[in-house]
Amino acid sequence: MSAETAVAQGATSLDLAGPIPGGGEVRLTVEHLTMRFGGLVAIDDVSFQAADGRITAIIGPNGAGKTTVFNCLTGFYKPTVGRLALHHPKGEFLLERIEGFRTAQDAGVARTFQNIRLFPRMTVLENLIVAQHNKLMRASGYTVFGLLGLKRYREAEEKAVELARYWLDRTLLTKAADQEAGNLPYGDQRRLEVARAMCTEPVLLCLDEPAAGLNPRESQLLNQLLMFIRDEHKMGILLIEHDMSVVMGISDHIVVLDYGRKISDGTPEQVRSDPAVIRAYLGEDEDEEPVGETAAGQESAAREGDERDA
Amino acid sequence: MAAKTSASPAGRPFDRQAMLKEAGATGLVIFALAFGLLGFRTLDVPGGIDIQYRFGDVAAAVAIGIVGRIALILLRERRPLPVLLTAPPLAVVLLVVLLSKFLFGPETGAELMRFLPFESLVVMWAILIVIVVLGLRAARVHTHMTSVMTAEERDARMDRIGAKVQRAARLLGPLLLGIAVVFPFLPFADRRLLDIGILVVTYIMLGWGLNIVVGLAGLLDLGYVAFYAVGAYSFALLATGLDVSFWVALPFAGLMAATAGVLLGFPVLRLRGDYLAIVTLGFGEMIRIILLNWYEFTNGPDGISGIPRPSFFGLALFKRNVADGHAFHELFGLEFTPIHRIIFLFYLILALALVVNIFTMRIRKLPVGRAWEALREDETACRSLGINPRNTKLTAFGIGAMFGGFAGSFFATRQGFISPESFTFIESAVILAIVVLGGFGSQIGVVIAAILLIGLPEFFRELQQYRMLAFGMAMVLIMIWRPAGLLAHREPTIRLFGKGRAKEAEP
Ligand SMILES: Nc1ncnc2c1ncn2[C@@H]1O[C@H](COP(=O)(O)OP(=O)(O)OP(=O)(O)O)[C@@H](O)[C@H]1O
Ligand SMILES: [Mg+2]
């Protein structure tokens, strides 16, 4: 992407040289990410950056390619083109080159799924312990010490329980710790999935529509949790979200995708008043209109539009 | 004639014609099955084979099927009265006839018995049980006006039973173990009973081994017998060819089986469910066919004979006269009897099985074990948490196979002779049936299922010919009512609130 286009599109365009909208240290740099499925171009030359200690929201209508971006980042898909650089304290990782599960294991990118993927017949606590698998595996001497019941492993397990307990307390799930995860109410399952991702001790957290299907109270709890993770753990969060009140309320930086292309990139204020975004969400014939107070109304309009598209 | 359709007490219309149609269809199906299965019987007569016709049996089977079906429909339609009125007298009459030998003496008994539709007493007892169950259910329908429990009710109840049994297993386990330990010294434990015991424990061990793969890791393996075979042949070839002793060959046979497990694991890593089952089934057959055809190495269908019996930990042999070295009975100053060796074999397989059990209990609480279960629940989620699905699956295959190999070695040394015939698909099916019936992942369930499926038919010889039939029926019923197995109840591997701390969690 050339400098002219960046200038032409003003503040809401990609400018990888400058500071990230919303501030913060760069944690992730996505450059020219393209993903094709046969003839379908799900993502078309998308570039953006995400910062540490900030919430970067990725929004866009259904089928815009948001989940596909996550799948490329977390090693589930191999991008057709693109460079995905994670700036890790241990050094730089090129995520597009890392084999699936190693993204979480080595690079420390954790994710949740659009349709919840817990281990339903295991207990809540077990879900959080499984998330600390690699650490515990090393502590158990790849099972040998563990079988012998050595102290070293038991201590590591106690520590793992402590970490799990910490996140249980933060997600208000402590009382349900010994219940089967599959029996939890929907909202609790969503928060448990976040807690499980945090138990892998990541450097970047990718959440795919964590607020989908939540009632207002549960949604509020989730927002508080995400802000806690951002502020207290200085964690960079990538957040896919449809609910505009959530997006506008908690994100520091927003990337807007439409039909696989990035159409806007900036702080919530910039994106909210970006004509391209309004067009994408309300259709071509709508006049420019600040999103502002009517965000909720526009969001439902956008949803209806989505359903039409789908 | 009265109206064809009349309202049942529950207010639902009742269609007599539909009922007769359904019963007729049942009769047809039973006829189709029974005509071939029951209608003819080959008899060995001097000079060849003769055919005995048993069309009476076929007719009886069809009649019983139709009547039973009508009873079931009546119960379903909540009209229990006819069943309630006929079942008890029928049951009493049948019981009296069955017990007539003891009640009226052998002669009258034999006379009465001739009126029974089937010769086999087992079948008649089974029919009696069915009648009693139908009667009880009719009574239940009559008093509650509900035909059957809803699926949820039944599930919840079975779950509670499962949980109770699991809890009881803490007591039941040691109790069963205690019984097993003193078993060889019980006064009635003769050679035959000991042999049955050895067989049952072998299958328990195989069940526990397969449970790692199927129950914990959720990898449906229909070719488990392949590893049993690899273990047995590795052991047999080492022992006969290289003169290696049992205690050296055992770990090696386990290693070979584990290697086979990992080798099978690689190509099926991406397969799940049905596809995995089919490929593993093929693998099991492949191994058997290799054993059958690789004549130079495995001696083909003739098998390997003269496999040495295990020594008493290399110290003494179970023989009357030992040229060089010691004999077991001399070492302990006992009279020689061949039962010593059987008792030793029993303890040997018991110890091997316990190793598998303890290993499984421990590994469930370790990261690998939890990763197996997590993989069974959701592989995608596992990958997102940085768990290596390939290695995790391969360890499950490898470890499960290793225990199969140990069991195979034991089998070889006990029999003294092995051939590919011992490793047919039916063996895999039986082992899997034990796991499924007992409940995926349930250790005590495997024990109970092995006793039911292996021990009982061995003990009651007459039952043996119905074994496969009972297997099939049990499997179908389990799949309908409780797909996770009878005693499938999962105990968490770790708790935040232990027993003592449980109150802390209450609000
Ligand atoms: N594995 C795949 N094979 C083929 N096409 C795919 C695949 N994954 C995604 N797509 C296509 O890529 C496009 C983007 O899908 P994606 O799931 O990323 O959308 P999304 O923005 O997450 O939408 P939603 O808001 O509905 O979750 C869609 O047209 C989808 O059909
Ligand atoms: Mg999506």
Side-chain angles (χ1 to χ4, degrees):
Chain A
M1 183 150 292
S2 69
E4 286 109 301
T5 31
V7 172
Q9 291 185 1
T12 60
S13 78
L14 168 80
D15 191 358
L16 293 182
I20 308 175
E25 286 279 310
V26 183
R27 166 101 312 158
L28 176 76
T29 308
V30 173
E31 285 172 286
H32 306 296
L33 175 63
T34 301
M35 182 80 216
R36 290 197 200 97
F37 298 106
L40 178 90
V41 185
I43 313 175
D44 187 3
D45 197 27
V46 168
S47 305
F48 66 91
Q49 286 188 312
D52 218 15
R54 298 287 188 277
I55 295 179
T56 305
I58 300 181
I59 64 170
N62 287 107
K66 307 179 294 293
T67 301
T68 309
V69 171
F70 270 25
N71 283 337
C72 291
L73 283 174
T74 49
F76 282 89
Y77 292 163
K78 204 156 183 58
T80 319
V81 182
R83 187 168 177 278
L84 311 170
L86 181 81
H87 313 287
H88 193 281
K90 283 192 282 184
E92 196 178 77
F93 284 94
L94 292 179
L95 296 178
E96 77 275 11
R97 295 200 189 151
I98 303 181
E99 190 191 348
F101 67 92
R102 289 193 192 281
T103 319
Q105 192 180 50
D106 302 337
V109 179
R111 75 170 290 182
T112 65
F113 295 88
Q114 193 165 349
N115 29 21
I116 305 174
R117 283 183 176 274
L118 291 170
F119 305 123
R121 277 187 296 165
M122 300 176 86
T123 67
V124 169
L125 180 64
E126 283 174 317
N127 268 270
L128 300 185
I129 300 290
V130 168
Q132 303 174 52
H133 175 79
N134 291 309
K135 188 173 70 183
L136 287 173
M137 200 68 183
R138 277 191 296 277
S140 74
Y142 297 89
T143 311
V144 179
F145 300 160
L147 277 179
L148 300 175
L150 291 196
K151 196 160 155 238
R152 183 177 144 194
Y153 172 68
R154 272 180 288 137
E155 280 173 1
E157 195 181 67
E158 259 164 46
K159 280 223 189 73
V161 173
E162 258 167 49
L163 180 66
R165 174 77 198 239
Y166 174 84
W167 285 110
L168 284 173
D169 290 344
R170 295 301 164 298
T171 48
L172 310 179
L173 290 171
T174 316
K175 268 182 213 150
D178 296 331
Q179 280 179 29
E180 278 185 13
N183 290 343
L184 291 184
Y186 192 76
D188 290 358
Q189 294 197 13
R190 283 277 181 208
R191 287 202 308 284
L192 176 58
E193 216 189 359
V194 177
R196 190 181 65 180
M198 286 310 294
C199 277
T200 64
E201 297 170 273
V203 296
L204 179 69
L205 183 64
C206 303
L207 305 175
D208 197 344
E209 302 201 26
L214 298 192
N215 64 36
R217 201 189 75 85
E218 290 169 334
S219 189
Q220 194 55 40
L221 282 177
L222 185 82
N223 283 2
Q224 283 165 5
L225 176 65
L226 297 191
M227 291 196 285
F228 171 82
I229 293 172
R230 173 187 66 186
D231 299 334
E232 301 301 316
H233 287 264
K234 303 286 176 247
M235 178 82 50
I237 301 179
L238 273 184
L239 172 73
I240 295 180
E241 190 48 74
H242 271 302
D243 190 332
M244 281 305 151
S245 61
V246 174
V247 171
M248 293 302 165
I250 64 171
S251 47
D252 306 290
H253 171 195
I254 300 180
V255 176
V256 189
L257 299 183
D258 190 18
Y259 292 113
R261 280 189 309 274
K262 187 173 85 171
I263 57 168
S264 184
D265 186 336
T267 61
E269 289 72 32
Q270 290 165 339
V271 167
R272 175 182 306 196
S273 54
D274 187 336
V277 177
I278 295 163
R279 262 203 308 282
Y281 267 80
L282 294 180
E284 296 290 340
D285 44 44
E286 289 291 329
D287 283 329
E288 276 185 34
E289 190 185 320
V291 180
E293 298 77 43
T294 57
Q298 296 207 349
E299 176 234 326
S300 61
R303 283 252 158 135
E304 278 157 30
D306 296 341
E307 276 155 27
R308 236 190 303 111
D309 292 347
Chain B
M1 276 223 83
K4 264 187 280 177
T5 318
S6 61
S8 80
R12 274 207 281 165
F14 177 64
D15 190 345
R16 196 160 298 163
Q17 205 166 5
M19 176 180 89
L20 291 179
K21 237 190 221 165
E22 225 181 305
T26 309
L28 269 181
V29 170
I30 293 182
F31 178 74
L33 285 174
F35 188 73
L37 292 176
L38 293 178
F40 310 96
R41 180 180 195 169
T42 51
L43 290 177
D44 280 322
V45 290
I49 282 180
D50 204 6
I51 291 183
Q52 181 195 10
Y53 299 95
R54 299 191 298 183
F55 295 130
D57 284 11
V58 178
V62 172
I64 288 172
I66 291 177
V67 171
R69 182 80 229 185
I70 290 177
L72 281 179
I73 295 171
L74 286 174
L75 289 187
R76 192 182 64 202
E77 300 294 332
R78 298 180 189 175
R79 307 178 125 239
L81 227 48
V83 183
L84 202 56
L85 291 181
T86 45
L90 208 61
V92 171
V93 169
L94 192 55
L95 188 67
V96 169
V97 173
L98 280 171
L99 295 179
S100 57
K101 235 193 274 180
F102 308 104
L103 294 176
F104 317 117
E107 267 157 46
T108 337
E111 196 72 6
L112 279 173
M113 290 277 212
R114 284 201 303 137
F115 290 105
L116 292 178
F118 296 110
E119 246 175 79
S120 162
L121 288 186
V122 178
V123 174
M124 289 319 298
W125 280 106
I127 291 175
L128 178 62
I129 291 172
V130 170
I131 293 176
V132 169
V133 169
L134 280 176
L136 288 177
R137 252 173 79 173
R140 196 186 144 88
V141 176
H142 188 69
T143 49
H144 295 302
M145 266 311 146
T146 59
S147 58
V148 270
M149 281 184 280
T150 62
E152 290 89 65
E153 267 175 359
R154 197 172 48 219
D155 259 7
R157 206 168 86 172
M158 286 304 287
D159 219 50
R160 255 175 289 138
I161 294 174
K164 265 197 205 123
V165 172
Q166 290 269 329
R167 232 163 287 135
R170 287 203 202 104
L171 297 174
L172 199 63
L175 187 74
L176 282 176
L177 179 61
I179 293 175
V181 168
V182 297
F183 175 68
F185 299 108
L186 295 179
F188 54 83
D190 53 1
R191 163 120 203 207
R192 176 166 160 258
L193 219 53
L194 270 172
D195 274 335
I196 295 176
I198 291 173
L199 196 71
V200 169
V201 181
T202 310
Y203 277 96
I204 290 176
M205 174 170 175
L206 285 167
W208 280 340
L210 183 61
N211 217 348
I212 293 176
V213 185
V214 179
L216 290 185
L219 304 161
L220 189 53
D221 185 348
L222 284 184
Y224 193 61
V225 77
F227 310 122
Y228 191 44
V230 169
Y233 268 86
S234 307
F235 176 81
L237 290 170
L238 277 175
T240 55
L242 299 176
D243 253 345
V244 182
S245 82
F246 176 81
W247 296 103
V248 179
L250 182 74
F252 191 80
L255 201 68
M256 288 298 285
T259 313
V262 173
L263 283 182
L264 165 68
F266 263 111
V268 301
L269 276 175
R270 286 164 185 280
L271 302 180
R272 275 181 227 191
D274 310 351
Y275 299 100
L276 179 67
I278 291 166
V279 175
T280 49
L281 190 152
F283 185 78
E285 285 299 282
M286 255 167 60
I287 294 277
R288 191 176 63 85
I289 289 169
I290 291 174
L291 294 177
L292 206 55
N293 289 298
W294 195 358
Y295 206 89
E296 306 77 48
F297 194 54
T298 64
N299 215 13
D302 301 340
I304 300 173
S305 53
I307 302 166
R309 307 302 178 127
S311 63
F312 185 71
F313 304 107
L315 295 175
L317 297 173
F318 294 96
K319 281 186 186 161
R320 192 186 296 274
N321 301 306
V322 181
D324 48 340
H326 305 278
F328 177 78
H329 61 287
E330 285 168 358
L331 195 67
F332 288 87
L334 301 165
E335 266 305 283
F336 173 79
T337 122
I339 206 113
H340 284 157
R341 188 172 57 79
I342 309 291
I343 292 177
F344 179 69
L345 282 174
F346 180 79
Y347 281 127
L348 182 59
I349 188 65
L350 191 64
L352 283 173
L354 281 179
V355 167
V356 182
N357 186 31
I358 292 166
F359 181 88
T360 311
M361 304 279 249
R362 284 216 106 142
I363 208 156
R364 255 197 82 206
K365 296 186 198 293
L366 289 179
V368 215
R370 293 204 186 103
W372 285 340
E373 291 200 65
L375 210 59
R376 175 192 70 200
E377 301 284 295
D378 195 324
E379 188 174 332
T380 307
C382 279
R383 289 213 284 157
S384 82
L385 298 175
I387 296 174
N388 183 336
R390 184 186 58 217
N391 293 358
T392 311
K393 274 188 194 177
L394 289 182
T395 47
F397 270 123
I399 289 173
M402 180 179 76
F403 289 134
F406 286 157
S409 306
F410 174 81
F411 177 76
T413 191
R414 179 179 100 108
Q415 299 289 68
F417 165 77
I418 52 170
S419 76
E421 244 169 72
S422 313
F423 309 105
T424 51
F425 166 68
I426 208 74
E427 290 298 315
S428 290
V430 168
I431 303 165
L432 188 66
I434 288 173
V435 174
V436 172
L437 190 70
F440 292 119
S442 165
Q443 300 290 90
I444 196 85
V446 166
V447 176
I448 294 170
I451 292 173
L452 283 180
L453 292 184
I454 307 295
L456 281 188
E458 277 298 319
F459 190 73
F460 300 101
R461 276 286 158 151
E462 207 204 341
L463 279 172
Q464 196 136 44
Q465 52 178 320
Y466 301 101
R467 191 163 112 177
M468 280 302 145
L469 197 68
F471 258 24
M473 235 148 81
M475 286 299 115
V476 170
L477 292 181
I478 289 275
M479 283 302 129
I480 293 173
W481 281 324
R482 203 155 158 77
L486 277 182
L487 297 179
H489 168 80
R490 190 180 170 279
E491 274 293 305
T493 59
I494 189 168
R495 284 175 184 277
L496 191 57
F497 304 107
K499 279 241 147 61
R501 284 186 287 168
K503 288 204 176 62
E504 194 187 304
E506 302 296 332

